């Protein structure tokens, strides 16, 4: 996984919230200790002032009561109650509210009511060329398993992690601990301070190039601010960065070293992949997909008369 410099990650997350960067499917994963509703509402707050011309915001409600979002004051918000509606009816309602070329933000407050075998057929029609889909998925309680799925099908969480282009996991902040006796018991206790408007989140965004941008943030819905948490800080909270975790898994598996040093990781992240050039486009703004870009160097021995020398 590729990592970008720390100052790029906060900029990218803010641009995604403001819909200035495209991410077709944003998945929010929450737990009983920390709801993702505040981060879902942040999308409405960032885009309710008409920063994106012609943007239509549609809220698909499975858990949120009608009229409970009036305090946000978003005139372009369309509330659709999805209780006990078949998926076809929900899709028809969304289509009736949108033009084919209209930019839209579609929010789903919970995917808990969608069976694992129906997830793809429910999500696919909601992903449109000019739209961003943001949906919440509730992770199961500690010590409990998710809803049963057929033996031939992957779990709902596995499917969602595969489909999502951006993944945001929400955690309580500050970290709320539970006594060992409570952890050993069968009852799940929800400590005071849970589900606060202030929380911590882990962010991962997958680019078209195959690179992924990730980072941790402190999020405050009351002030609508995001504070980036440096890797050195998150390493102490979560047991180390992903590279350190991978190195620990690879240790002692072979007689030679499969891990990477910090110097090697920095050198790897600074490598400019050649196929990224194809996404930058030319001076007219058109993207040349699949083009091969090669720049000759002074050491190259190029013969113009040889037809097999042309790299293009």
């Amino acid at each position: 996984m590729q990592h970008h410099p720390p100052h790029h990650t906060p900029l990218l997350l803010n641009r995604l919230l403001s819909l200035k960067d495209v991410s077709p499917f944003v998945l929010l994963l929450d737990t009983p200790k920390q709801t993702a509703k505040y981060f879902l509402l942040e999308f409405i707050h960032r885009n309710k002032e008409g920063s994106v011309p012609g943007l239509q915001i549609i809220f698909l409600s499975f858990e949120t009561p009608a009229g409970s979002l009036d305090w946000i004051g978003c005139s372009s918000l369309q509330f659709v109650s999805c209780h006990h509606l078949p998926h076809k009816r929900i899709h028809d309602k969304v289509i009736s509210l949108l033009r084919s070329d209209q930019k839209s933000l579609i929010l789903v407050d919970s995917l808990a009511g969608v069976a694992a075998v129906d997830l793809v057929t429910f999500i696919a029609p909601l992903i449109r060329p000019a739209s961003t889909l943001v949906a919440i998925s509730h992770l199961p309680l500690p010590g409990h398993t998710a809803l049963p799925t057929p033996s031939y099908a992957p779990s709902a969480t596995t499917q969602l992690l595969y489909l999502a282009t951006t993944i945001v996991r929400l955690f309580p902040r500050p970290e709320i601990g539970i006594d060992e006796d409570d952890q050993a018991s069968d009852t799940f206790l929800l400590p005071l301070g849970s589900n606060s408007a202030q929380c911590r989140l882990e962010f991962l965004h997958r680019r078209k190039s195959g690179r992924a941008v990730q980072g941790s943030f402190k999020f405050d819905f009351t002030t609508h601010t995001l504070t980036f948490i440096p890797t050195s800080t998150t390493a102490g909270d979560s047991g180390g960065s992903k590279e350190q975790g991978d190195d620990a898994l690879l240790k002692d598996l072979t007689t030679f070293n499969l891990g990477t040093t910090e110097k090697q990781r920095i050198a790897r992240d600074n490598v400019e992949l050649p196929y990224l050039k194809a996404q930058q486009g030319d001076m007219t703004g058109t993207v040349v997909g699949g083009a091969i870009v090669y720049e000759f160097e002074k050491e190259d021995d190029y013969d113009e008369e040889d037809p097999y020398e042309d790299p293009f």
Side-chain angles (χ1 to χ4, degrees):
M1 181 174 293
Q2 301 290 336
H3 296 267
H4 285 235
H7 60 278
H8 287 175
T9 308
L11 177 62
L12 175 60
L13 180 54
N14 280 285
R15 288 181 62 85
L16 289 174
L17 279 167
S18 302
L19 305 183
K20 294 180 180 178
D21 272 6
V22 178
S23 184
F25 180 25
V26 180
L27 174 64
L28 308 183
L29 297 173
D30 64 4
T31 64
K33 289 184 182 180
Q34 182 57 54
T35 178
K37 290 288 181 64
Y38 293 109
F39 197 75
L40 186 76
L41 297 179
E42 185 68 16
F43 279 89
I44 303 178
H45 174 79
R46 297 280 183 111
N47 299 281
K48 69 178 182 179
E49 302 297 337
S51 56
V52 179
L55 177 68
Q56 184 70 43
I57 303 177
I58 300 177
F59 192 97
L60 302 182
S61 170
F62 289 90
E63 298 178 349
T64 307
S68 60
L69 302 179
D70 295 343
W71 61 274
I72 298 180
C74 180
S75 59
S76 60
L77 177 65
Q78 297 285 339
F79 188 92
V80 179
S81 180
C82 301
H83 299 286
H84 307 297
L85 284 182
H87 297 166
K88 182 66 167 57
R89 289 281 305 279
I90 298 174
H91 296 153
D92 292 342
K93 283 180 174 289
V94 172
I95 293 173
S96 66
L97 294 172
L98 295 175
R99 299 190 306 269
S100 59
D101 58 342
Q102 187 177 17
K103 294 182 178 179
S104 60
L105 172 64
I106 302 175
L107 308 171
V108 184
D109 64 352
S110 175
L111 292 172
V114 182
V117 294
D118 298 327
L119 270 176
V120 175
T121 56
F122 175 75
I123 292 175
L126 301 177
I127 300 178
R128 300 154 48 89
S131 294
T132 295
L133 171 65
V134 186
I136 296 177
S137 177
H138 305 312
L139 295 177
L141 293 169
H144 295 71
T145 57
L147 294 176
T149 57
S151 58
Y152 58 83
S155 66
T157 302
T158 301
Q159 294 184 62
L160 292 171
L161 292 175
Y162 178 79
L163 295 171
T165 50
T166 300
I167 302 169
V168 180
R169 298 175 183 264
L170 285 302
F171 303 92
R173 184 181 68 89
E175 294 294 341
I176 302 172
I178 301 179
D179 294 338
E180 293 182 0
D181 294 339
D182 295 333
Q183 291 179 347
S185 64
D186 293 333
T187 55
F188 176 74
L189 300 179
L190 201 63
L192 293 175
S194 301
N195 296 312
S196 170
Q198 299 176 347
C199 63
R200 181 176 66 85
L201 62 89
E202 292 182 359
F203 162 76
L204 184 144
H205 175 66
R206 296 163 177 161
R207 293 186 178 274
K208 292 182 179 179
S209 62
R211 291 191 174 190
V213 183
Q214 66 178 4
S216 297
F217 293 84
K218 296 177 181 178
F219 170 62
D220 191 343
F221 181 72
T222 58
T223 58
H224 305 287
T225 56
L226 285 163
T227 305
F228 181 70
I229 305 175
T231 305
S232 58
T233 303
T234 57
D237 296 336
S238 59
S241 62
K242 186 180 185 300
E243 290 91 347
Q244 292 172 339
D246 291 343
D247 290 347
L249 293 174
L250 296 172
K251 186 178 180 181
D252 298 332
L253 287 180
T254 64
T255 56
F256 50 90
N257 184 20
L258 293 175
T260 55
T261 64
E262 183 64 25
K263 183 178 179 180
Q264 291 171 331
R265 284 193 287 266
I266 294 174
R268 179 193 63 191
D269 294 342
N270 290 332
V271 173
E272 184 177 359
L273 301 179
Y275 55 80
L276 293 179
K277 292 274 189 178
Q279 299 183 15
Q280 296 177 0
D282 55 19
M283 296 300 292
T284 62
T286 59
V287 175
V288 185
I292 298 175
V293 179
Y294 181 81
E295 296 180 359
F296 287 101
E297 299 179 357
K298 61 181 181 179
E299 293 83 3
D300 291 338
D301 184 13
Y302 176 65
D303 186 0
E304 295 182 357
E305 297 180 358
D306 188 349
Y308 298 102
E309 282 287 342
D310 188 0
F312 305 106

